[in-house]
Amino acid sequence: MATERTYIMVKPDGVARGLVGEIIKRFENKGFKLIAIKMLQADEQLITKHYEEHIGKPFFPKIVKYILSGPVVGMVWQGKGVVAYGRVMLGKTDPLKSEPGTIRGDFGIDSGRNVVHGSDSVESAEREIKLWFPEGVVEYTRALDDIIYE
Ligand code: IDP
């Protein structure tokens, strides 16, 4: 079964611009299954853990300030290949290097305002899901899966 999961987060600029529904729509239309969603105001400890691989890099203080600038919407999406394909749907880190048709390609300009986050590997997805959803996700059967999957 399609048990792979990824952590997708609409960043504060995406929330402020009213892009939450647009981003959800793209993942739903593709056929991925939403198994957790919440809006929250992150704190510095959470965002530092989330971006721990970037601690010490020149842009690190800027990302922390960016993510703390307003509420985010965190989601867990499930499906076959959802981690890698989620990254395709997001586009590149730099929106100006992202293809039209991707979220960052369609809605962003600067890397420091790139609208959305998506896990870059199955391992980081599992780490990020635990971090952002310590309460767990919702397990449910979706009849649609019998139509979407071969
Ligand atoms: P990703 O989000 O595409 O996986 P990462 O390299 O993990 O990219 O960087 C995390 C976030 O930090 C990016 O999404 C972006 O918002 C920000 N960022 C990365 N590189 C730069 C930069 O060179 N300038 C400004 N912000 C950056």
Side-chain angles (χ1 to χ4, degrees):
M1 269 314 284
T3 55
E4 190 175 302
R5 313 182 302 172
T6 194
Y7 178 65
I8 299 294
M9 179 171 74
V10 186
K11 294 178 175 179
D13 54 327
V15 173
R17 291 173 58 190
L19 294 172
V20 175
E22 171 69 32
I23 291 164
I24 290 174
K25 188 180 83 179
R26 289 177 181 223
F27 280 82
E28 278 187 335
N29 283 354
K30 177 68 181 166
F32 293 131
K33 179 170 130 182
L34 184 62
I35 57 168
I37 182 166
K38 70 179 168 193
M39 173 177 262
L40 74 160
Q41 173 66 56
D43 61 22
E44 193 164 343
Q45 193 189 2
L46 181 59
I47 206 60
T48 300
K49 269 196 193 146
H50 175 78
Y51 280 132
E52 65 187 8
E53 61 176 315
H54 297 308
I55 294 172
K57 292 186 186 166
F59 61 86
F60 183 73
K62 280 190 359 186
I63 332 176
V64 173
K65 195 171 166 213
Y66 168 35
I67 305 298
L68 293 182
S69 69
V72 297
V73 173
M75 300 177 251
V76 183
W77 287 90
Q78 187 174 50
K80 184 174 171 185
V82 70
V83 173
Y85 203 80
R87 295 283 291 190
V88 172
M89 289 168 68
L90 261 57
K92 305 260 168 53
T93 304
D94 181 349
L96 288 180
K97 297 198 171 93
S98 301
E99 294 292 320
T102 64
I103 296 165
R104 289 165 172 173
D106 287 349
F107 300 113
I109 294 176
D110 276 344
S111 297
R113 295 288 184 276
N114 61 3
V115 181
V116 68
H117 164 82
S119 310
D120 64 4
S121 68
V122 171
E123 295 70 36
S124 35
E126 289 304 317
R127 186 184 75 83
E128 291 168 7
I129 291 165
K130 275 200 202 93
L131 186 63
W132 291 89
F133 287 93
E135 69 275 28
V137 301
V138 181
E139 306 288 345
Y140 65 102
T141 303
R142 197 178 62 155
L144 189 62
D145 285 347
D146 291 336
I147 299 166
I148 287 174
Y149 292 102
E150 199 174 12

